[in-house]
Amino acid sequence: MEQRRNVPSALPADMAATPDIRIASGTQEWGQAVASLILAESQQAIQAHGRCLIALSGGSTPKTLYQVLATPEWNARFDWSRMVFLFGDERCTPPDHPESNFRMAQTELFQPLNIRPEQVYRMKGESDDPPAAAREYEATIRRLTNSPAPRVPVLDLILLGIGEDGHTASLFPETAALREQTAIVTVGQSPKGTRSRLTLTLGVLNHAAVVLFLVTGPGKADMVRRVLDPESEADRSLPAARISPESGRLVWMLDHAAAQQLKKMPAHRGET
Ligand code: 6PG
């Protein structure tokens, strides 16, 4: 089912984590493959330090994953009581708004799994002062990880998506949020949809133990090719191309449709 491929990253060799690319044939297989990856990483983190700090991605792609994790089969495999849930970004909307990343996780993951509210740290998208909400969330992450500034906190696992413009989290091309060097949480600006966002910045994303890109569908194939098979400086400066954990691992979990433009697709399908 799942094929794997390692390619040189877009970043200079001395800085780059070599992406581990995994390709699943269909949506359900993709969901199962991501669930088993997250299970393995969370068990490692819990063994190492008693809990797993995971930052969830936004958008629609994680919905399939949440629905798989909420099945009795997967529910039983996780020690959910040791999971601490953070968010990689949030739209500046109330938590019950259809655009809210928290709302999606609440409905599709936290409620079905009876996750205790004290295990969930959401970004206050409803705040009428987004910069203050960003600072508040930064303080929360620093407290949770005992990482006073200027230390960069290390999260165990960060889930990310990619937009058709190459954005990831709420780091959009050519925006101040992408250039942010000191804050670990800042205000992002989206060119469409909910404009104002809260987002983790490159520094903390690239300090994670594991970054896992979740990408499905033909609409993402061109951007996946540009990020993983870069041909220009423009490709290399795409926000998603700037994700390369300094000492952590980088995994891309794709479905076949999202991987179809990659130069070196595995020759044969359906091999386990
Ligand atoms: C958000 C995200 C964003 C998302 C991509 C992909 O809040 O919008 O965190 O980075 O991951 O836009 O979104 P889809 O999964 O909906 O394609």
Side-chain angles (χ1 to χ4, degrees), residues 57-62 89 91 101 161-163 167-170 197 220:
S57 63
S60 56
T61 304
D89 70 327
R91 291 91 181 264
N101 290 336
I162 185 172
H167 79 262
T168 191
S170 280
R197 313 280 189 102
K220 301 291 173 67

Side-chain angles (χ1 to χ4, degrees), residues 90-100 103 122 125-127:
E90 183 59 279
R91 291 91 181 264
C92 290
T93 60
D96 57 356
H97 187 282
E99 285 273 307
S100 161
R103 182 181 121 144
R122 70 176 184 83
E126 70 275 23
S127 166

Side-chain angles (χ1 to χ4, degrees), residues 146-254:
N146 187 22
S147 309
R151 201 187 304 164
V152 183
V154 176
L155 302 183
D156 298 305
L157 180 56
I158 297 182
L159 307 185
L160 289 176
I162 185 172
E164 293 183 10
D165 61 355
H167 79 262
T168 191
S170 280
L171 301 174
F172 289 86
E174 284 138 37
T175 58
L178 189 59
R179 296 187 293 274
E180 177 57 49
Q181 301 267 328
T182 41
I184 60 170
V185 186
T186 194
V187 178
Q189 288 304 328
S190 166
K192 58 183 183 181
T194 308
R195 300 299 167 101
S196 197
R197 313 280 189 102
L198 300 171
T199 183
L200 298 186
T201 57
L202 276 181
V204 67
L205 295 174
N206 282 332
H207 264 72
V210 180
V211 173
L212 172 55
F213 271 98
L214 308 179
V215 189
T216 61
K220 301 291 173 67
D222 181 57
M223 209 29 82
V224 166
R225 174 189 58 74
R226 290 187 59 189
V227 171
L228 294 175
D229 288 337
E231 289 167 358
S232 66
E233 224 22 66
D235 290 350
R236 287 180 179 83
S237 61
L238 289 162
R242 310 273 303 278
I243 303 296
S244 182
E246 290 180 15
S247 53
R249 289 178 30 240
L250 177 60
V251 184
W252 285 70
M253 192 65 232
L254 311 172

